[in-house]
Amino acid sequence: MGAPSVAVKSGDTLEGRYKIIKTVGEGGMGTVYLAEHMLIKRKVAIKILRPELAADAAVVERFMNEARAAGAIGHPHIVESTDMGFTRDEVPFIVFEYLEGTLLTDEIYRVRGMPPRRALRIATQIASALHAAHSAGIIHRDLKSDNVFLTDKEDASDHVKVLDFGISRFLEAEAGEDSSSRHLVMGTPEFMAPEQILTPEKVDKRADIYALGVVLYEMLTARRPFDFDEHKLTAERRLTETDRLLHKIVTEPVPLINRFDLPPGLEELIKDKLLAKDPDQRFDSMKDVQGAFEAFFSVARRDSEPIPLSSTSTSAEMAATLATPPPSMAPKKKSGLGWLLAALLVGGTGAALLVVEPKPSDATVASNDAARKTLEEAAAKLAALLDTQTQASRMRAEGIGSLPMLRAAIETDAATLKDMVKDRDVLFKAEPNEVLEIFQVRDGNPSTMLRIPEDAPAIKPLGEAATRIETDGTRVHLIVGTPVVNQKNVNEGVIALSVPVDLTSVKTLIAPHTNAAALVGLDKPIVLAGTAVPASPVSFPIKTAATTKIDGLSLAAAVDSPAAVAAKAASPTFAYARFACWGLAGLLLVMFAVSRARKS
């Protein structure tokens, strides 16, 4: 006899303690009910496993993990599990604290993206909860905005509760864990880290860091970095579109956030330290993530606060004091004192000339310093862009090179390879200006077997795992290579992938700060601002990571040095007059000394 389709209904009691009031939600594994503890009259939420799943021991274990995780951690930002048990039909249930509020997902799309301060405040609480989970040896593995609940606590809004540790991994139990279960891909596709897709058995706490990056990205943009519209998918297309989504997560760079109100550096942190394809490039711990969020929240808060009124009052008092004329001083009449007064007057005139001499204004100096800092930021941004794009392109090339059909075809001939990849989207779907070229290697000599698109310019052969950057004077292309090896681990070919480097964000950043800038160190310089390469530029090195293997690039820009700024404002006429006054003052002081000597 099969399990009943409905575990409980309104009015039923569980183990004589909990009275079911109503259904509040349903999920893939179970149904959540609002219930009341019959003795203490406290509202609780009860999650009951779907009856048809209760016979599956693995599903029951995963369901009970949720109660174990919440009970083991005991953190204010993780939903509290207070009890567990079984229905009359031996279906397990978990009792949670009852929360009133809203899911983070619903709030994100209600407000159509959150202000940075609010998003960072929520993300910091999530990081705190997951740091506690990781410290307890628990990895969530299914963090997403649907598993974050916002409630009010002690009149404070946006108090976070992290939910659903149902597929969490308990690290202390890994040694006895069924190895086949560890190889299962688990999680929600849009929030899965690349290693969850490629090597699920190697997933660690850095997968939660990636998922938190997706949640923060979604809070700021009201979209996910990689997504599909699930409501428009038919059952036939769901599997295909999911595969495409997972392919994007593994191979494609994270789209720009494009918000101008972000604290400087936050977008780079999200893309490079949270959503990095390689887990080794992410933060080492959720504690580090929490600290970074708190630092950015502090910056955002200061930038948005008005100047205190006390500062304005102090400035006004100082201005009033300076505007009050000093009391008059009636000199005592002494013999020879006129020489001293004349010397002071003339010397003071020289000093006045020093004050009024044209100098670079504070605004000019600040503008020049800001330009240099911005250009340094632009060079760092370009280096990060090249690092990220190199890493993503290399992963795409390696993914293509690992296909068994490609390894088999590359050992034969070009015609066989072309026949096997007639459906090109299976092997490679070229984006605008991208080129894939496959070389067969015989006796160390590469020869082209296939180029996609066929009419694209040829890629010059490059070594295994090599990186090269090229330009035609207008566009910049990054070219990466990866070897193709046969079953005997012998190199049979090379995959070369050429992708365009979008410099728009760098150009936009530097345009207001210089009228001439260029990327140099290539065969031809690339003009980034103005119409030509600056004649006497200041150089800002582009320091890429060692794994990128691109050296010798720099940003050359027309920016005045501090000495040049001062020289432009200097006036020799004022200098001559100033020295003449001081020379005359010195002569008058000599006359004063002589007169005093005669008097004595």
Side-chain angles (χ1 to χ4, degrees):
M1 183 175 178
S5 58
V6 178
V8 297
K9 60 183 182 297
S10 298
D12 287 352
T13 61
L14 297 178
E15 296 188 346
R17 300 194 305 277
Y18 303 104
K19 182 177 181 179
I20 301 297
I21 299 175
K22 65 178 180 178
T23 304
V24 294
E26 295 187 8
M29 290 185 68
T31 304
V32 179
Y33 299 88
L34 171 62
E36 183 181 68
H37 194 290
M38 298 174 66
L39 296 179
I40 62 176
K41 302 302 179 182
R42 178 186 177 185
K43 288 183 179 180
V44 295
I46 296 182
K47 186 175 184 178
I48 304 179
L49 183 67
R50 296 173 66 90
E52 61 269 25
L53 301 178
D56 189 328
V59 173
V60 172
E61 175 66 17
R62 199 183 310 164
F63 181 78
M64 303 305 276
N65 270 358
E66 188 168 359
R68 289 174 58 204
I73 301 169
H75 190 273
H77 293 304
I78 294 177
V79 64
E80 181 184 1
S81 170
T82 59
D83 198 0
M84 58 194 305
F86 293 86
T87 68
R88 296 189 189 94
D89 300 306
E90 297 301 316
V91 177
F93 67 83
I94 308 171
V95 181
F96 294 101
E97 61 178 315
Y98 180 67
L99 302 174
E100 293 184 348
T102 183
L103 284 176
L104 176 58
T105 307
D106 296 336
E107 183 65 7
I108 290 171
Y109 295 98
R110 183 186 72 82
V111 300
R112 299 181 182 180
M114 295 180 172
R117 286 183 61 207
R118 187 183 184 193
L120 286 166
R121 182 168 60 246
I122 292 171
T124 301
Q125 296 176 69
I126 300 172
S128 174
L130 291 174
H131 172 61
H134 294 171
S135 298
I138 299 169
I139 305 170
H140 194 292
R141 292 203 296 178
D142 195 25
L143 177 67
K144 54 186 175 181
S145 47
D146 277 344
N147 283 339
V148 176
F149 199 85
L150 301 180
T151 184
D152 295 339
K153 184 177 181 180
E154 298 176 355
D155 297 327
S157 59
D158 288 342
H159 183 81
V160 164
K161 290 285 186 176
V162 177
L163 317 175
D164 199 356
F165 281 78
I167 65 170
S168 59
R169 173 180 291 174
F170 290 74
L171 299 178
E172 72 277 6
E174 282 190 6
E177 192 178 55
D178 180 8
S179 62
S180 62
S181 67
R182 290 182 60 188
H183 285 72
L184 293 176
V185 176
M186 295 182 179
T188 302
E190 300 97 308
F191 295 84
M192 289 170 63
E195 65 269 22
Q196 278 182 278
I197 301 165
L198 298 174
T199 55
E201 73 280 4
K202 296 181 180 179
V203 166
D204 58 23
K205 60 188 179 182
R206 293 172 297 182
D208 285 348
I209 291 175
Y210 182 95
L212 179 52
V214 177
V215 172
L216 178 55
Y217 185 104
E218 185 180 19
M219 284 194 284
L220 293 170
T221 64
R223 69 178 190 277
R224 292 159 188 171
F226 306 103
D227 203 356
F228 54 75
D229 192 341
E230 186 173 344
H231 300 292
K232 294 182 179 179
L233 295 181
T234 62
E236 294 76 14
R237 291 192 59 194
R238 180 179 298 276
L239 185 59
T240 300
E241 291 302 317
T242 299
D243 286 343
R244 289 183 182 273
L245 172 62
L246 297 181
H247 181 73
K248 287 182 179 180
I249 292 172
V250 171
T251 62
E252 295 188 3
V254 177
L256 295 174
I257 292 179
N258 286 330
R259 280 190 62 160
F260 297 102
D261 57 344
L262 296 184
L266 178 59
E267 180 169 1
E268 288 76 9
L269 176 135
I270 294 171
K271 294 173 64 177
D272 300 337
K273 299 295 290 181
L274 300 178
L275 298 179
K277 306 290 185 187
D278 183 354
D280 289 338
Q281 300 298 321
R282 297 178 210 144
F283 283 108
D284 291 330
S285 71
M286 199 61 78
K287 184 67 174 177
D288 293 339
V289 176
Q290 183 181 348
F293 288 168
E294 289 171 348
F296 276 106
F297 178 81
S298 176
V299 171
R301 180 178 59 207
R302 284 199 300 268
D303 287 347
S304 62
E305 288 180 348
I307 298 174
L309 290 177
S310 59
S311 298
T312 305
S313 300
T314 302
S315 299
E317 292 168 3
M318 291 174 61
T321 301
L322 293 173
T324 303
S328 60
M329 295 184 296
K332 296 180 180 180
K333 295 181 179 180
K334 292 184 180 180
S335 176
L337 193 57
W339 295 113
L340 177 59
L341 292 176
L344 293 175
L345 179 62
V346 175
T349 302
L353 290 174
L354 180 64
V355 173
V356 301
E357 180 180 1
K359 294 179 179 178
S361 66
D362 290 344
T364 301
V365 173
S367 175
N368 189 65
D369 290 343
R372 285 173 164 270
K373 290 180 181 178
T374 300
L375 291 165
E376 289 173 357
E377 292 174 6
K381 187 181 184 74
L382 185 51
L385 175 64
L386 292 174
D387 289 338
T388 302
Q389 194 151 347
T390 298
Q391 184 179 358
S393 300
R394 191 170 289 150
M395 291 183 69
R396 291 178 68 190
E398 289 172 353
I400 296 169
S402 65
L403 294 174
M405 71 168 189
L406 179 62
R407 291 201 302 265
I410 207 169
E411 296 179 13
T412 56
D413 53 49
T416 303
L417 178 60
K418 290 179 181 178
D419 287 341
M420 294 186 70
V421 295
K422 285 182 179 178
D423 183 5
R424 291 179 178 173
D425 285 356
V426 173
L427 179 65
F428 176 71
K429 183 178 180 181
E431 299 294 334
N433 298 314
E434 286 187 343
V435 181
L436 173 73
E437 190 151 353
I438 300 176
F439 297 91
Q440 186 182 59
V441 177
R442 290 289 182 268
D443 299 324
N445 298 316
S447 59
T448 299
M449 298 186 72
L450 178 70
R451 186 181 304 122
I452 302 175
E454 293 180 1
D455 58 350
I459 299 177
K460 296 177 183 178
L462 72 172
E464 303 171 15
T467 308
R468 189 170 67 223
I469 187 166
E470 294 181 348
T471 179
D472 57 4
T474 303
R475 287 194 295 253
V476 175
H477 277 77
L478 181 69
I479 303 171
V480 299
T482 187
V484 181
V485 296
N486 60 18
Q487 297 294 333
K488 297 179 181 179
N489 203 32
V490 176
N491 182 13
E492 294 284 348
V494 175
I495 303 291
L497 179 61
S498 173
V499 297
V501 180
D502 187 358
L503 300 175
T504 303
S505 60
V506 177
K507 292 179 180 179
T508 302
L509 180 62
I510 67 177
H513 299 279
T514 181
N515 57 9
L519 174 62
V520 298
L522 304 169
D523 293 339
K524 299 178 181 178
I526 295 292
V527 175
L528 301 176
T531 58
V533 180
S536 300
V538 178
S539 182
F540 301 89
I542 297 171
K543 301 175 182 177
T544 57
T547 54
T548 303
K549 300 180 181 178
I550 297 177
D551 298 317
L553 298 181
S554 62
L555 176 62
V559 185
D560 286 337
S561 66
V565 173
K568 286 184 178 180
S571 171
T573 302
F574 276 83
Y576 296 152
R578 184 173 67 249
F579 290 129
C581 287
W582 288 342
L584 179 57
L587 179 60
L588 292 172
L589 285 174
V590 172
M591 296 300 293
F592 168 70
V594 171
S595 67
R596 292 291 293 172
R598 287 178 178 176
K599 182 67 175 179
S600 60

